[in-house]
Amino acid sequence: MKYFTKSSVCFLVLSFTLSFIIGSGTAISKPHKVDGENYPAGRIPQEIKNNDYPRTYYPNTEKLAANEMRITAIGTGMPNQSPSNMAAAFLVELGNGESFLFDLGTGSTDRLAGLEPDYSKLDKVFISHLHTDHAGDIAALWVGGWLNGRYTPLQVYGPSGSTLELGTKVHVDHLREAWAWDVTSRAGTLPDAGGEIVSHEFDYSKTAVIYDKNGVKITSFPAIHIRDGSVSFRLDWNGLSFVFGGDSVPNKWFLEEAKGADVVVHECFFTPEQWIKIAGFPYKQAYWVTSVIHTPPEGFGKLMSMVKPRMAVAYHYWNHRDIELEIFERVRKTYDGLLTMADDLTVINLKPDHIEVREATFNEESWPQGTSKQWDTAPRGEPATGLMSEWLKKGTLEGLNPPPKEPID
Ligand SMILES: [Zn+2]
Ligand SMILES: [Zn+2]
């Protein structure tokens, strides 16, 4: 005979209550239209007057002004993971309703999901280089965004390499091949176009405009990071500028392109001594990693003293209490301008006359906002059938899954 413990009784009561709530109260997940934009059901974005921002940013509760840019650090960490900081990714949202992603490192799409974004807009990713901590979540957005409302192809902009094989086009082609099992299995159920991924490879060695649409101009320029094929970006829109530094030592192209820009993001790595303590590397390798292929705090500070942005933003380290203060103090030895030590979910609102820096917060159990009518009705092919052997299908235990309540053909 089994006896219920106190906790198992509590669990049963909780399960019953949860199933009751879910069964009776959950609205159908469809976005609400506010001024033609998709927002999660029940969320009412407010206009912010007189720069009177709430101290915390709650996603989907604030309207951007026509001349405003919102920059959210989705990931600010490292290739060797820590739960405190996902790998590199920044989301830029503009007052004209457009969104751009700069890098999409491993884990960053989890943070992105917490923001409950309109995935139909998240169809442009600009990749600085093909390290996993900058490009590791492309496939996660490609498929996850498709399920969550994107009905157009995912556009990936990224640099060439020293050979064809080391460029963004081959990387994306291989992603397509690597995930063929996944993507072809969803054919017909999801919109056809959303399952496509398109690469836009550009010459890493040139300073050039690589995107120019609807008043948004994005320039790529070379970065110096281990091998050929790393770049940084500058976005210009409506008189505002955002610069995103891919991994690099301080370099002349960054100084030229970022000089005097509004919000300038650049890596700010650990010191060799910190890296020895954190990762256990011998000094020689620790110096190589922190100071030959990356930019340590003093280098970041000196560079920003030359760039003189309205706001300098440091990332690419863990914000752990025992090391963050030392990184900050070392930056402050060489730079005394406006500074944000970005953490995951640091949010920067940029206007011609104002910069607001806050942290975002979200519900750990955030929902996607649901698919839109455009997603529901976008062209689809035939449902994926014939992908399974007859003998496999015959192993189904018939009658266990409930039959459909309405016609599904
Ligand atoms: Zn990196
Ligand atoms: Zn890198």
Side-chain angles (χ1 to χ4, degrees):
M1 179 166 179
K2 282 183 183 171
Y3 295 92
F4 287 120
T5 61
K6 221 176 181 181
S7 60
S8 66
V9 171
C10 284
F11 175 73
L12 282 174
V13 171
L14 184 68
S15 316
F16 174 76
T17 311
L18 277 176
S19 57
F20 176 73
I21 291 168
I22 289 168
S24 65
T26 306
I28 293 172
S29 182
K30 286 288 171 200
H32 281 181
K33 287 277 181 199
V34 182
D35 296 340
E37 303 277 332
N38 289 331
Y39 283 92
R43 223 67 63 84
I44 303 167
Q46 305 280 332
E47 196 180 318
I48 302 295
K49 290 179 183 152
N50 306 317
N51 297 326
D52 192 13
Y53 291 88
R55 293 285 296 275
T56 300
Y57 173 64
Y58 299 95
N60 293 303
T61 60
E62 297 177 15
K63 269 188 206 171
L64 283 176
N67 61 349
E68 184 173 14
M69 188 186 286
R70 179 167 52 225
I71 298 150
T72 307
I74 309 290
T76 54
M78 300 283 295
N80 40 346
Q81 293 86 345
S82 164
S84 69
N85 300 77
M86 300 296 120
F90 280 73
L91 170 65
V92 176
E93 297 164 279
L94 307 180
N96 69 1
E98 289 193 272
S99 298
F100 299 83
L101 282 158
F102 289 89
D103 280 351
L104 210 51
T106 38
S108 58
T109 52
D110 287 28
R111 294 269 194 260
L112 186 62
L115 300 176
E116 295 171 273
D118 178 356
Y119 281 94
S120 69
K121 284 187 187 176
L122 297 180
D123 62 350
K124 295 177 285 299
V125 187
F126 294 79
I127 298 293
S128 67
H129 65 297
L130 293 168
H131 268 153
T132 56
D133 58 319
H134 296 259
D137 262 12
I138 294 176
L141 179 68
W142 174 28
V143 174
W146 185 23
L147 278 159
N148 280 340
R150 197 193 66 247
Y151 50 91
T152 55
L154 181 64
Q155 313 285 343
V156 180
Y157 296 79
S160 60
S162 54
T163 66
L164 205 63
E165 291 72 31
L166 293 171
T168 299
K169 183 181 182 307
V170 169
H171 184 85
V172 169
D173 287 345
H174 283 167
L175 280 180
R176 205 180 289 111
E177 284 173 32
W179 293 108
W181 196 100
D182 179 305
V183 173
T184 55
S185 75
R186 300 178 201 274
T189 309
L190 309 183
D192 290 346
E196 291 170 26
I197 183 167
V198 179
S199 59
H200 303 265
E201 184 175 301
F202 53 83
D203 186 344
Y204 80 92
S205 71
K206 301 273 191 303
T207 297
V209 175
I210 53 137
Y211 181 94
D212 193 357
K213 277 181 205 161
N214 201 20
V216 182
K217 199 172 79 171
I218 298 175
T219 307
S220 165
F221 48 96
I224 304 176
H225 182 54
I226 315 179
R227 69 188 311 160
D228 290 16
S230 186
V231 300
S232 296
F233 297 108
R234 174 180 170 128
L235 181 151
D236 286 281
W237 168 73
N238 207 10
L240 299 173
S241 49
F242 164 77
V243 175
F244 177 72
D247 290 355
S248 184
V249 292
N251 72 72
K252 64 173 188 174
W253 298 282
F254 194 89
L255 179 57
E256 280 165 20
E257 294 302 314
K259 207 166 176 50
D262 291 322
V263 172
V264 176
V265 179
H266 192 278
E267 67 150 291
C268 176
F269 217 80
F270 304 102
T271 67
E273 291 75 18
Q274 284 180 330
W275 195 240
I276 290 167
K277 262 171 72 179
I278 294 165
F281 280 33
Y283 184 83
K284 188 176 156 187
Q285 283 82 2
Y287 185 81
W288 165 262
V289 171
T290 60
S291 310
V292 176
I293 64 172
H294 284 291
T295 300
E298 288 88 344
F300 171 89
K302 283 182 183 169
L303 178 63
M304 288 303 175
S305 288
M306 297 164 83
V307 168
K308 295 188 179 19
R310 275 175 72 196
M311 169 66 76
V313 180
Y315 82 106
H316 215 310
Y317 59 92
W318 292 306
N319 302 65
H320 297 182
R321 258 175 241 173
D322 48 349
I323 50 174
E324 188 184 20
L325 191 58
E326 189 190 350
I327 293 174
F328 172 74
E329 283 170 349
R330 284 172 179 269
V331 171
R332 275 299 182 220
K333 279 183 189 163
T334 51
Y335 173 66
D336 62 4
L338 276 184
L339 172 66
T340 296
M341 306 296 285
D343 200 352
D344 286 15
L345 300 175
T346 297
V347 179
I348 301 170
N349 286 69
L350 168 66
K351 285 174 161 181
D353 61 346
H354 186 81
I355 299 181
E356 186 82 16
V357 182
R358 298 171 288 167
E359 294 299 311
T361 189
F362 58 59
N363 176 6
E364 289 286 333
E365 297 184 5
S366 293
W367 298 89
Q369 61 168 255
T371 57
S372 63
K373 276 187 191 145
Q374 292 97 319
W375 188 94
D376 295 349
T377 55
R380 286 157 165 78
E382 288 301 306
T385 53
L387 303 180
M388 200 186 288
S389 301
E390 279 307 312
W391 69 264
L392 186 57
K393 225 186 286 178
K394 281 180 184 158
T396 304
L397 294 175
E398 297 295 344
L400 270 62
N401 286 357
K405 290 179 181 162
E406 47 185 275
I408 56 168
D409 290 330

